[in-house]
Amino acid sequence: MSTNKLEYDSTLGGPVTLPTHVSTFRYAATVVHEMRQLIEEVRNPVSRKLVFQTLPKHMRRRAMSHHPKRLPRKYRAAHRSQMAKAGKPQQTKRPSRKHRRRPGNLLRDYLRRQRKKIWLETHIWHAKRFHMVDRWGYRLPQSSCDKTYRACYRASADHCLLQDMSFFVCIEMRGKISVLREGFARLSNTKCGLSITAETYISGRREGSIDLFRDGQYPNYALGRVSFMWQPNFLEHANSEDIKRTLWIWIHPSAYSAVLLELLTVFQLKCQNSIKVPLGCDEKFAENNKKAKEKCSVNECTSKPKEQRCLQFMTKNLGFQRIMRYRNATTNIELSDLKDAMNRFRLTGHLSQSVLNKAFKPKSLKEHTRNTWLHTLLEENSDFQSAHENQIEFWQNCIELRSPGELLSNMILSLNIEDPRLQRPMKRTKAVPELTTSQTNLDFILTIPENLAHSPLWNDDIRNGLCKSMIKPSDYSQLRAKHAAVPGVRCQFEEEMQAVPVMLIQRPGSQRSQYKRLGYGCGWDIIAPAGYGMPIWLSLIMWGAKPGGLREFESVARELGTEEHLPDTVAGRVLADMRHQELRSKYFRKPPNKRHSYKKLAIVSPFRAPFPALIRDWAVYPKQIAEKHSTFHVLRDRTLLQQILLYIQGKSKIFPNEIPENCLLQLHLRMKSRGSLDDFALICLPTRNDFKRNLKHIKKGNQEPVFTEPLLPDLSEGKRKAIRKAHKKLLKRLRARRVREKRKQQETSNMRVYIKPANTAGIVAVHFEQMCKLWLPEDHSTLYSVRKQCQREVFGYAPNAHFSYTEATVCAVGYVTPTGLKELLTLCRQMNVRQPMCLMRSPKSRHYRFTCFKLNLDV
């Protein structure tokens, strides 16, 4: 018989009766629940240690706290969450260069970097070898990373200098010649040279250039100098007033917006890109819009996204995608903005002719080759076929030329050449003129055919289709690797590649031997379609052309004795303000004991040429000049410049009185002896004693300066020191106040108290402006403050001064007032000086030295 056995349980404090059996399901459920809790605690242990601290000692590393990949994979997620909770930012490792240089990633990075700045087609080539700068909305090469300043001069003088000027903007205008003549007569003046409709230009055989001004504001408010070319006409009466002609205008990007605005205003043009729907035609417009969208969607589906991205990058100069068109319905004048639609390169130097002869080979037509756009064009138009043959014959005769300066000045030569990749040498080779054993035949120079300028580039369809049908470099390399059996031998597919139309524009260089070295700066300009910029660039480089950047544009202009941007143009004013801000900020970044005290040196404006104040000081009636002529301009009247030149040479005894008082004359100045000049050098009037002292120095062979400016007292020096001392005391007093506040709060606070921020940026900025005014006061309102700022009267400034290799001495391009030049020439005649001279002085120097000068007639 079963009896309940009593047992004593100490924890319960008495006897406990145990059951005779246990429920299996209930027991299993409780055990499973306990096992789950144990597993969860094992997986997620509750510990104050970090994940990397729970590892065995032999697995711990010092870098685990900030480098998650040092931990095993199963602990990395928990480690990242702990670091995120702790507020520590996650440090992402920069992808490796191998990953970044993958084609897809590289292309994506290129597209990202092109969002704010426009790239030229040669940008990647330049970015690896040149210092790049941001100018006019483009990313352009400034100068080579190597020391190539002297090498670039040698290339421009005797060899070949290559520059990419594709950032120049092209504007196309179409209309009757009579209407275009009337419009441009309001923007230019024949006193500065030939008009845009002169007979020598309207035939299309030569490129011309004119100075543009605001509507009816000549000679003030100059916009800049532009070059232009007319499309040749096959008709017999090409110069008829009723024929619709096409004109290309090439503008510097700095003046592009101002010139475009004036053209739209003068010709009363309206934009045609936006379509206005008339009332009652909504249904028809909607149907047409749907059809257009369907066509666009079909075309987009046929091309892959990757191909679209590659096309966008490789041929980003696709102007036909974003051409802005304007039109006047009354006069039928049309304007198309061909910005970034073509490439333009500049070759400077005597060997540029040899480089082009090697790099460009005219396309010869063969019957067994496939039909391309060139075959179709020549079959449809017999005039183009005869022009093509004459162009080939003329270019073959040019092989005997040693310099492009031997040809007709500013002539336009069109060629249909083979793909430039086919004429590239295996290694870089210097192109040299071919030595012919026979006597040089130069008869072709005198008898130039009239149809040399006919080019397919004037056709929009051909120009836009060239880029689409071009063989990409990657495809060309694959085809070459597949079909080329012998290296350097042409393949069959290369004979069938399409021709590339280019336009060559001759530049004569210096044409006045009495002013500069004859022929310096001659060369060619190349206009090529979009997409072929890089192949042409590499071909020219491989044939020995020296690459240059924006710095070389300035150096070549300086060697020619002129300036790229005159100070009265839009670009000149913008660049002058930019240089002033850069030099001024650089000056005030220096400590006070390292700055030049320009007050002691008697210099009013060391970083800018104050031409308006200079003209006001030299005016006969300064108040009227200030009221009527608030601006200045550079004299461009060829007749007045020729009269001034005759007066300088002593061939005329009367100085022209028709010269306006608010104008400046451009001079090329050359140092007579040793000495150097800096930018913004002063051009001063000498005295009689200076001429006498100069004669004594010449006899004794003395190279000392003619006169030395005495140091002036700086009246603001004591005031600056007092203000600086008071400013330091104020900052110390404010800091002491913040420290006292911190100590008071620390006494009653249980936590650490930090000192308050200074917040003295406004006080420092006001003090800095006050000190700048005391160092460099820029108020030129005081009468004769610029003219009589030093012991010698100032009548001009030289914004650009540098060592000239053509003159083998220091030279400068300066601008002087007519009244000051007249006084100088009068003094030189009184002192019986054969060659007129003036004094020049650098802003950082006190020494005056004599310089001779020449008047520039081709401003």
Side-chain angles (χ1 to χ4, degrees):
M1 185 178 72
S2 63
T3 58
N4 293 331
K5 185 179 180 181
L6 299 177
E7 294 185 2
Y8 182 81
D9 191 354
S10 61
T11 58
L12 298 177
V16 177
T17 303
L18 298 177
T20 57
H21 62 277
V22 178
S23 178
T24 309
F25 294 101
R26 292 180 180 177
Y27 176 74
T30 56
V31 171
V32 170
H33 181 65
E34 292 177 357
M35 291 176 64
R36 286 178 178 175
Q37 289 182 350
L38 290 173
I39 292 173
E40 187 177 357
E41 290 182 359
V42 171
R43 288 182 176 177
N44 301 318
V46 179
S47 176
R48 294 183 178 178
K49 293 183 178 180
L50 298 176
V51 174
F52 70 91
Q53 293 175 344
T54 59
L55 295 174
K57 290 186 177 181
H58 69 280
M59 295 180 63
R60 297 182 186 180
R61 298 292 183 271
R62 185 186 298 273
M64 282 182 176
S65 60
H66 61 273
H67 202 309
K69 290 188 177 181
R70 294 286 184 180
L71 280 82
R73 291 180 182 271
K74 57 183 179 180
Y75 298 122
R76 291 177 186 175
H79 175 73
R80 291 193 182 96
S81 64
Q82 288 181 352
M83 293 296 105
K85 291 178 182 178
K88 185 177 181 180
Q90 183 179 358
Q91 295 181 357
T92 57
K93 181 183 177 182
R94 188 185 183 189
S96 62
R97 189 178 186 276
K98 183 179 180 181
H99 180 270
R100 287 183 278 117
R101 299 297 294 181
R102 290 179 181 176
N105 300 334
L106 194 64
L107 180 60
R108 194 178 300 108
D109 185 44
Y110 287 161
L111 295 177
R112 176 188 60 81
R113 289 155 57 185
Q114 294 181 52
R115 292 174 186 170
K116 296 182 179 179
K117 301 295 179 182
I118 301 176
W119 283 9
L120 305 181
E121 290 190 8
T122 59
H123 171 84
I124 295 179
W125 190 94
H126 279 107
K128 296 179 180 180
R129 301 165 178 86
F130 276 69
H131 298 287
M132 310 298 290
V133 294
D134 296 333
R135 292 286 187 276
W136 314 297
Y138 291 86
R139 186 73 174 168
L140 302 176
Q142 173 66 20
S143 59
S144 176
C145 295
D146 299 332
K147 295 181 180 179
T148 58
Y149 188 88
R150 190 185 294 264
C152 288
Y153 164 73
R154 289 197 299 266
S156 64
D158 302 322
H159 304 293
C160 180
L161 176 67
L162 175 62
Q163 296 167 283
D164 189 356
M165 51 185 301
S166 302
F167 53 88
F168 273 65
V169 183
C170 179
I171 292 180
E172 181 182 82
M173 297 192 69
R174 295 179 181 177
K176 294 183 180 180
I177 298 178
S178 58
V179 181
L180 293 174
R181 180 187 293 110
E182 293 177 1
F184 279 98
R186 297 164 56 181
L187 299 175
S188 61
N189 197 292
T190 54
K191 295 181 180 179
C192 302
L194 296 177
S195 65
I196 199 170
T197 55
E199 293 184 2
T200 185
Y201 300 135
I202 206 170
S203 62
R205 300 176 60 187
R206 306 174 73 173
E207 184 189 43
S209 60
I210 56 171
D211 293 296
L212 295 183
F213 305 84
R214 288 187 185 178
D215 185 11
Q217 297 293 331
Y218 172 83
N220 299 319
Y221 300 104
L223 301 178
R225 195 170 188 84
V226 301
S227 58
F228 62 90
M229 60 181 70
W230 289 88
Q231 181 183 7
N233 202 333
F234 288 109
L235 301 177
E236 295 180 0
H237 305 286
N239 298 335
S240 177
E241 300 288 332
D242 298 331
I243 298 177
K244 198 172 184 179
R245 298 291 300 275
T246 304
L247 172 69
W248 277 356
I249 305 174
W250 293 87
I251 311 168
H252 194 272
S254 60
Y256 157 69
S257 58
V259 172
L260 180 61
L261 180 61
E262 291 295 328
L263 291 176
L264 297 179
T265 305
V266 170
F267 292 97
Q268 299 179 1
L269 303 173
K270 295 183 179 180
C271 183
Q272 300 295 314
N273 292 63
S274 58
I275 302 175
K276 295 183 179 180
V277 183
L279 296 176
C281 302
D282 297 340
E283 297 180 357
K284 295 181 180 180
F285 176 75
E287 292 178 0
N288 297 333
N289 194 13
K290 286 182 180 179
K291 293 180 181 179
K293 287 184 178 179
E294 290 176 359
K295 291 181 180 180
C296 293
S297 61
V298 171
N299 294 334
E300 289 177 358
C301 293
T302 55
S303 60
K304 298 179 181 179
K306 186 175 182 181
E307 294 179 357
Q308 291 179 0
R309 292 200 307 269
C310 292
L311 186 66
Q312 180 183 1
F313 164 67
M314 293 301 298
T315 59
K316 60 186 175 307
N317 288 350
L318 297 180
F320 57 85
Q321 291 183 350
R322 52 181 181 273
I323 287 182
M324 298 296 296
R325 302 186 185 278
Y326 306 87
R327 190 173 183 272
N328 187 338
T330 305
T331 59
N332 291 327
I333 295 294
E334 299 176 1
L335 187 146
S336 301
D337 187 359
L338 302 182
K339 183 180 181 182
D340 304 329
M342 288 176 285
N343 294 296
R344 181 158 182 162
F345 305 109
R346 173 160 291 181
L347 294 170
T348 307
H350 296 290
L351 287 186
S352 57
Q353 181 68 43
S354 303
V355 172
L356 287 181
N357 288 332
K358 296 292 184 180
F360 290 170
K361 181 181 178 182
K363 183 73 173 180
S364 60
L365 303 179
K366 298 181 181 179
E367 296 181 356
H368 63 274
T369 57
R370 66 184 181 92
N371 291 333
T372 59
W373 66 268
L374 183 59
H375 294 77
T376 306
L377 179 65
L378 298 183
E379 289 176 359
E380 295 177 353
N381 195 333
S382 59
D383 295 331
F384 264 112
Q385 186 173 2
S386 60
H388 179 70
E389 295 174 356
N390 292 337
Q391 291 165 4
I392 294 177
E393 182 182 1
F394 185 84
W395 187 246
Q396 290 175 352
N397 293 331
C398 290
I399 297 178
E400 302 178 357
L401 296 179
R402 294 183 176 271
S403 173
E406 301 177 7
L407 294 171
L408 179 67
S409 61
N410 298 313
M411 69 168 293
I412 300 176
L413 172 62
S414 300
L415 290 176
N416 300 314
I417 61 173
E418 294 182 351
D419 197 296
R421 290 171 285 191
L422 305 180
Q423 298 297 322
R424 197 175 298 167
M426 298 297 293
K427 62 179 181 178
R428 192 175 184 189
T429 308
K430 182 179 179 180
V432 181
E434 297 183 4
L435 299 177
T436 56
T437 55
S438 60
Q439 186 177 1
T440 305
N441 185 16
L442 299 179
D443 296 337
F444 72 98
I445 299 178
L446 303 177
T447 59
I448 297 178
E450 296 182 357
N451 53 5
L452 291 182
H454 294 291
S455 174
L457 281 178
W458 292 95
N459 192 331
D460 296 341
D461 298 333
I462 295 177
R463 188 173 64 243
N464 300 334
L466 284 168
C467 186
K468 298 178 181 178
S469 57
M470 171 189 174
I471 298 180
K472 298 179 182 178
S474 58
D475 298 340
Y476 175 76
S477 301
Q478 293 176 2
L479 291 173
R480 182 72 187 173
K482 181 179 179 181
H483 297 284
V486 181
V489 180
R490 283 198 179 186
C491 304
Q492 180 63 29
F493 78 94
E494 293 179 338
E495 299 291 341
E496 300 177 355
M497 294 176 67
Q498 66 177 358
V500 183
V502 296
M503 298 176 67
L504 305 179
I505 305 169
Q506 191 265 1
R507 290 183 295 106
S510 177
Q511 295 294 295
R512 299 182 183 275
S513 58
Q514 67 276 9
Y515 185 74
K516 267 295 181 179
R517 194 177 90 179
L518 190 64
Y520 176 80
C522 64
W524 290 95
D525 279 5
I526 306 172
I527 299 178
Y532 283 93
M534 200 60 196
I536 293 178
W537 179 270
L538 291 177
S539 298
L540 299 175
I541 290 293
M542 293 298 290
W543 281 111
K546 183 74 175 177
L550 296 179
R551 182 187 64 183
E552 277 62 48
F553 284 105
E554 299 178 359
S555 62
V556 171
R558 190 186 302 114
E559 296 293 342
L560 285 171
T562 182
E563 266 193 314
E564 186 182 6
H565 304 292
L566 298 183
D568 63 336
T569 60
V570 176
R573 296 174 189 271
V574 172
L575 290 177
D577 294 339
M578 193 189 324
R579 289 180 64 188
H580 175 260
Q581 294 296 333
E582 292 177 357
L583 295 175
R584 188 174 182 274
S585 60
K586 182 180 178 181
Y587 174 77
F588 285 109
R589 280 198 301 268
K590 298 179 180 179
N593 60 346
K594 298 297 182 182
R595 300 175 191 166
H596 288 84
S597 180
Y598 290 106
K599 283 192 173 183
K600 294 182 178 179
L601 298 175
I603 300 295
V604 173
S605 180
F607 309 130
R608 176 189 290 172
F611 290 124
L614 183 68
I615 290 174
R616 180 207 63 209
D617 294 349
W618 279 92
V620 180
Y621 302 103
K623 293 185 178 181
Q624 296 181 3
I625 289 294
E627 295 175 359
K628 296 181 180 180
H629 306 284
S630 59
T631 60
F632 66 94
H633 69 273
V634 179
L635 186 64
R636 297 177 174 86
D637 193 335
R638 302 298 174 89
T639 305
L640 293 179
L641 290 174
Q642 188 66 33
Q643 294 177 7
I644 295 174
L645 179 62
L646 294 177
Y647 184 80
I648 293 175
Q649 295 175 350
K651 299 178 181 180
S652 175
K653 298 183 180 179
I654 301 174
F655 193 84
N657 298 324
E658 300 85 4
I659 301 177
E661 293 185 346
N662 66 329
C663 75
L664 296 172
L665 305 177
Q666 189 186 78
L667 301 180
H668 182 257
L669 303 114
R670 182 178 182 273
M671 295 291 292
K672 293 288 291 183
S673 61
R674 68 174 61 178
S676 181
L677 293 175
D678 296 331
D679 293 344
F680 310 106
L682 280 65
I683 305 175
C684 306
L685 289 175
T687 61
R688 294 176 176 270
N689 294 331
D690 294 335
F691 283 108
K692 295 178 181 178
R693 198 177 298 110
N694 184 44
L695 290 176
K696 293 180 180 179
H697 288 179
I698 293 174
K699 293 179 180 179
K700 296 180 180 179
N702 192 353
Q703 299 292 339
E704 293 182 358
V706 177
F707 179 72
T708 302
E709 181 76 18
L711 282 175
L712 298 178
D714 190 355
L715 303 179
S716 302
E717 185 175 3
K719 189 176 181 180
R720 289 199 305 267
K721 290 182 179 180
I723 293 176
R724 188 183 301 113
K725 188 176 181 181
H727 179 66
K728 288 183 178 180
K729 284 184 178 181
L730 176 61
L731 295 180
K732 288 182 179 180
R733 186 167 63 253
L734 294 176
R735 174 172 175 77
R737 183 186 303 173
R738 296 196 305 273
V739 171
R740 288 196 300 268
E741 292 179 1
K742 173 194 171 183
R743 290 176 180 175
K744 287 182 180 179
Q745 295 178 5
Q746 188 70 37
E747 292 177 357
T748 59
S749 176
N750 297 329
M751 300 177 64
R752 184 175 181 180
V753 179
Y754 296 92
I755 190 171
K756 291 183 179 181
N759 296 329
T760 58
I763 299 175
V764 174
V766 171
H767 169 73
F768 179 73
E769 292 180 2
Q770 189 177 6
M771 296 297 290
C772 290
K773 292 180 180 179
L774 292 175
W775 275 99
L776 290 177
E778 297 189 3
D779 183 16
H780 307 316
S781 59
T782 307
L783 192 61
Y784 303 120
S785 61
V786 176
R787 177 179 177 178
K788 297 185 177 181
Q789 57 182 302
C790 48
Q791 295 290 330
R792 299 293 182 265
E793 290 190 4
V794 180
F795 73 104
Y797 276 89
N800 290 318
H802 203 272
F803 184 85
S804 175
Y805 293 105
T806 55
E807 302 290 341
T809 185
V810 178
C811 296
V813 177
Y815 301 89
V816 299
T817 59
T819 309
L821 180 62
K822 183 179 180 181
E823 289 190 11
L824 174 66
L825 297 176
T826 304
L827 179 62
C828 291
R829 290 185 178 183
Q830 292 176 359
M831 298 299 298
N832 296 325
V833 178
R834 295 182 180 179
Q835 187 178 14
M837 297 184 297
C838 63
L839 290 178
M840 289 196 70
R841 171 194 170 199
S842 295
K844 298 179 181 179
S845 174
R846 296 189 294 138
H847 301 319
Y848 293 85
R849 295 183 182 274
F850 272 108
T851 57
C852 58
F853 58 88
K854 299 177 183 178
L855 181 66
N856 186 12
L857 299 178
D858 301 326
V859 181

